[in-house]
Amino acid sequence: MPDRRDFLAAGAAALLAGTESARGFQANDTLRVGCIGTGGRCRALMRSLATIPNVRITAVCDLWETNLNEGKKLADPAAFATGRHEELLARNDVDAVVIGSPDHWHVPLTVAACAAGKDVYVEKPLTHDLSEGPAVVEAQNRHRRIVQVGTQQRSMTHVRAAYDFLKSGKVGTVHKVHCTWNRNAARAQRFKDNIDATKVDWRRFLGSVRDQPFDGYKFRQWRWFWDFGGGIFTDLMVHWIDVVHWFLDLGVPATAASAGDFFSAKDVWETPDTVQTVLRYPDKQVQVYFEGTFSNNRNGAMVEFMGTEGTLYVDRGRFEFIPDRGKTGAPAELILGTGTRGLDFYDKPDGELLHLCDTMPGSSGSPVLTGDSRTMLALHHAGAKGGASPVNLAITIDALTK
């Protein structure tokens, strides 16, 4: 097995190869990037962008003055700043955009960016509503742009090594997969609304969703409200389901059953705070089970592929193979990150940095939308929206994707 140093060196080489071929530019040319929605997540991506040779952040956009000012600090000193994405997309000094907006703006911004001739890195989930899928795929194809969704685990060096390990046959035949994203955090407590509503373009934030009065908590915690996000399902579950589909070459599941309850966020969130989902793929003889909660952090964030020869464990900092009792396989591991198993984030690898470079034309990565888009769009909504009530559904995915 290659060691940690080998994999980190390989990752650095991939970064340089990707940046030097971006958009067909010569190695000393500059890729000019505009960032839309410069909240906390986008600013993390901006910090990674700043480390890539020959990349400049030439424009920033956010509809809240506080976020816009914070984004300007991470951009080029002469960067253009605006509260209107149309003004950013109209600029000739922007070659590509990074979209870090709330979920309900992902597709409208991606479609507009493609039409403006920009390549796109958009945070996951790609769609907020399943019906948006055809429009964003059509926009990428018609305008011949690169569109990549921020499921950065696809670019993590140890996850790619785990993929190769599984494909070697050492895990055996996988019939069951267990995914978790468990946290023990008081995320549902309402904080005092100290946001100055005059500094927020609330009407623009709402976009196409129903009109409603300004709510500082919803504005900051939009992930947990159906108008703007999809809760644990689309914020966390999608990461591991994407990995499972990639590793096992899965298509659309025959059925998806989800259950959701409120144990820590009752009367605060609309999306459930504790969920479970079971996906069935009878054509591949595979079952996939996901669990997520904010009441206990057992297992944290991880996926386990349970094969006939043993179990392949993967989190964001390592992979480990544990042979089954009575089997002859040898234990194996590759640990890059520092810390205990199952953390949300690790110091190594820098998945955001690797994934951003995979987005660039000519790099080793490939645009997400060239794959089975119906499958990915359906899985973003395996825990379908159900208003403010707990989710307790059985969904036939074929019906959703016809």
Side-chain angles (χ1 to χ4, degrees):
M1 291 289 294
D3 64 17
R4 183 176 187 270
R5 181 177 299 176
D6 292 335
F7 270 88
L8 295 180
L15 293 184
L16 293 176
T19 56
E20 290 182 357
S21 58
R23 295 179 67 90
F25 290 176
Q26 299 298 315
N28 59 351
D29 284 341
T30 298
L31 180 68
R32 301 165 300 179
V33 178
C35 296
I36 303 175
T38 54
R41 177 60 188 158
C42 188
R43 294 200 297 272
L45 296 174
M46 292 172 72
R47 293 184 186 95
S48 292
L49 278 172
T51 68
I52 303 175
N54 306 328
V55 172
R56 286 178 55 218
I57 300 174
T58 56
V60 292
C61 174
D62 201 279
L63 48 74
W64 182 25
E65 285 186 18
T66 296
N67 277 348
L68 184 61
N69 290 333
E70 291 300 311
K72 287 166 61 177
K73 295 176 183 178
L74 299 173
D76 187 271
F80 174 74
T82 179
R84 301 176 59 84
H85 68 270
E86 299 92 342
E87 295 178 353
L88 183 150
L89 293 177
R91 296 185 65 84
N92 293 326
D93 63 349
V94 174
D95 303 310
V97 296
V98 171
I99 297 172
S101 68
D103 297 353
H104 69 299
W105 267 106
H106 286 179
V107 166
L109 290 173
T110 299
V111 169
C114 288
K118 318 299 184 187
D119 293 325
V120 179
Y121 180 102
V122 56
E123 268 297 324
K124 58 89 194 116
L126 174 62
T127 64
H128 181 53
D129 187 274
L130 194 62
S131 64
E132 297 176 308
V136 70
V137 173
E138 194 275 336
Q140 176 198 248
N141 292 338
R142 188 203 318 170
H143 300 289
R144 300 179 63 83
R145 309 320 309 167
I146 283 184
V147 176
Q148 181 154 316
V149 181
T151 47
Q152 68 268 24
Q153 289 163 176
R154 287 208 173 214
S155 300
M156 293 180 177
T157 45
H158 73 287
V159 179
R160 288 182 171 178
Y163 172 90
D164 291 338
F165 189 92
L166 183 141
K167 291 300 184 183
S168 74
K170 295 176 183 176
V171 182
T173 302
V174 175
H175 292 299
K176 184 175 180 180
V177 184
H178 180 205
C179 316
T180 70
W181 212 300
N182 293 327
R183 294 166 168 170
N184 194 337
R187 292 287 294 273
Q189 295 180 355
R190 272 193 174 268
F191 51 78
K192 184 179 179 180
D193 179 8
N194 57 1
I195 298 176
D196 183 352
T198 66
K199 305 296 184 182
V200 177
D201 189 341
W202 179 247
R203 180 60 260 173
R204 179 172 286 267
F205 175 83
L206 291 178
S208 61
V209 308
R210 62 187 175 88
D211 192 27
Q212 53 197 283
F214 176 77
D215 185 322
Y217 183 82
K218 282 187 178 181
F219 179 64
R220 296 294 301 276
Q221 301 291 326
W222 52 265
R223 288 171 173 82
W224 321 117
F225 295 89
W226 293 120
D227 281 337
F228 317 116
I232 294 174
F233 295 117
T234 58
D235 200 55
L236 301 174
M237 182 180 80
V238 64
H239 278 298
W240 289 131
I241 297 301
D242 177 57
V243 170
V244 173
H245 269 229
W246 169 31
F247 276 38
L248 300 181
D249 304 309
L250 299 178
V252 177
T255 59
S258 290
D261 287 288
F262 296 91
F263 299 134
S264 63
K266 185 176 175 56
D267 299 324
V268 180
W269 293 357
E270 291 177 351
T271 64
D273 59 67
T274 299
V275 304
Q276 299 185 64
T277 292
V278 177
L279 308 174
R280 293 182 58 252
Y281 306 81
D283 58 324
K284 293 293 185 76
Q285 297 186 322
V286 174
Q287 294 181 3
V288 180
Y289 163 57
F290 172 84
E291 58 170 316
T293 187
F294 281 87
S295 299
N296 181 280
N297 61 20
R298 172 69 176 171
N299 292 325
M302 66 93 207
V303 59
E304 291 180 315
F305 296 87
M306 302 178 188
T308 52
E309 297 299 313
T311 298
L312 179 66
Y313 168 95
V314 184
D315 64 23
R316 286 183 153 185
R318 77 189 68 204
F319 87 75
E320 301 173 4
F321 174 64
I322 304 95
D324 257 16
R325 290 191 303 269
K327 299 297 182 178
T328 59
E333 66 179 23
L334 175 63
I335 301 175
L336 301 184
T338 303
T340 59
R341 298 165 102 213
L343 298 181
D344 283 10
F345 299 100
Y346 289 90
D347 55 344
K348 295 288 186 301
D350 187 336
E352 288 78 8
L353 179 59
L354 292 164
H355 205 48
L356 284 165
C357 288
D358 270 353
T359 311
M360 298 179 179
S363 70
S364 60
S366 58
V368 167
L369 297 192
T370 60
D372 185 351
S373 57
R374 289 175 68 248
T375 298
M376 293 309 300
L377 295 172
L379 284 173
H380 286 165
H381 297 273
K385 291 182 280 188
S389 60
V391 178
N392 192 357
L393 316 166
I395 307 166
T396 301
I397 297 297
D398 281 345
L400 291 178
T401 57
K402 286 178 181 176

